[in-house]
Amino acid sequence: MNEQPAACRIQVEALGAGFEPLARQWAERLSLPLQIDEPEFALQVGEQGLQLQQLGADAPGPVRVDFVEGGAAHRRLYGGGSGQMIAKAVGVAQGVRPRVLDATAGLGKDGFVLATLGCEMSLIERQPLIGALLEDGLARAALDAEVAPIVARMHLLKGNSIELMRNWEGEPPQVIYLDPMFPHREKSALVKKEMRLFRPLVGDDNDAPALLAAALALASHRVVVKRPRKAPCIDGPKPSHGLEGKSSRYDIYPKKALKA
């Protein structure tokens, strides 16, 4: 996602007097005002943590990161384990739990699935507002006895994904996972409220080819790119093969076999 938010009017709100100090802290960290005229979005701080709320008559509900309850909990308990397509795509197998860099982390849903399966995850989300939601969600999840061991395998990095990959220090990730924002069609991409919310803030990932190139240069074993099922491949080297589901597919760029 783009590093800087699009030209949107965003303010930070405390959902109660007790949350005003924390709201001020987030406002300072993100260089956002606490109050503006005619805001389009509000980054809200309350009992359920940090959430992003689009404002207006027909706006969807707030978006927050929750690894403890809701969809994340259901998938953790009933999601199919290592038989899930994303697990097969990154190379999870008997005795194999690769170290994965999710360079387009978003709200961390895919990263959480892989961490649940035992993968050590590094996460990069370069859009500061989305990164703040993810940071807050990880912090709250770390307080839950069941989920804390999972999120302990998720390490959030801050900065531009391409630059961080190009200047990577230490042992490279075995697998790099990319899910770049795809230029949308009204019928498909605006269904989920997250997409409705994120589109005006982050736009499309027009530098996806550079993202792929940086990933291919860094990953030691493979790169995996998630795409809409009928979308073209990212410009650049072609994947050797892919896994296709009902609405999405995983393009796989192997470099070396993953072994137990």
Side-chain angles (χ1 to χ4, degrees):
M1 294 181 182
N2 292 325
E3 189 170 358
Q4 298 298 327
C8 297
R9 298 180 61 78
I10 307 166
Q11 68 181 22
V12 182
E13 295 179 350
L15 299 178
F19 300 105
E20 288 178 359
L22 195 53
R24 285 195 294 270
Q25 290 178 28
W26 279 114
E28 291 175 6
R29 283 184 58 185
L30 297 169
S31 300
L32 292 174
L34 288 167
Q35 190 171 10
I36 56 175
D37 294 330
E38 300 181 359
E40 297 173 82
F41 294 86
L43 187 66
Q44 300 172 331
V45 186
E47 289 185 5
Q48 294 181 292
L50 198 66
Q51 63 185 34
L52 191 59
Q53 173 67 65
Q54 187 174 2
L55 306 175
D58 59 347
V63 170
R64 71 178 67 86
V65 174
D66 188 351
F67 295 122
V68 178
E69 298 179 353
H74 186 272
R75 189 165 181 183
R76 172 170 59 89
L77 296 170
Y78 310 110
S82 58
Q84 297 174 79
M85 193 160 58
I86 186 175
K88 294 178 181 178
V90 302
V92 170
Q94 186 172 0
V96 180
R97 294 296 185 271
R99 288 176 287 100
V100 181
L101 168 63
D102 182 348
T104 52
L107 296 176
K109 293 180 180 180
D110 289 340
F112 182 73
V113 169
L114 294 172
T116 299
L117 297 175
C119 296
E120 286 291 327
M121 299 296 303
S122 298
L123 308 167
I124 304 174
E125 176 45 58
R126 58 180 173 175
Q127 210 291 325
L129 286 173
I130 312 306
L133 295 177
L134 182 52
E135 178 185 334
D136 177 72
L138 288 168
R140 285 184 286 105
L143 303 176
D144 182 86
E146 287 188 28
V147 180
I150 298 173
V151 297
R153 291 191 284 270
M154 300 172 68
H155 312 285
L156 181 59
L157 306 174
K158 296 180 180 179
N160 181 285
S161 309
I162 296 172
E163 292 176 2
L164 284 172
M165 286 192 286
R166 287 174 176 169
N167 298 299
W168 191 269
E169 296 182 359
E171 192 173 6
Q174 292 174 295
V175 178
I176 297 181
Y177 177 79
L178 305 175
D179 182 11
M181 190 75 83
F182 186 67
H184 71 273
R185 294 174 299 179
E186 294 296 325
K187 289 183 179 179
S188 61
L190 297 185
V191 174
K192 294 182 179 180
K193 67 180 180 181
E194 288 95 339
M195 289 298 100
R196 288 186 60 187
L197 196 67
F198 292 171
R199 281 291 174 189
L201 288 172
V202 304
D204 299 321
D205 279 322
N206 295 316
D207 58 356
L211 195 67
L212 175 60
L216 288 169
L218 175 62
S220 62
H221 286 68
R222 75 170 65 174
V223 174
V224 178
V225 181
K226 185 179 181 180
R227 302 292 280 164
R229 186 170 65 88
K230 295 184 178 180
C233 297
I234 293 177
D235 289 343
K238 299 303 178 187
S240 71
H241 62 289
L243 299 175
E244 191 170 295
K246 292 181 179 179
S247 60
S248 60
R249 74 169 194 273
Y250 296 90
D251 292 341
I252 299 171
Y253 301 76
K255 297 179 70 175
K256 188 164 50 173
L258 288 159
K259 297 180 180 179

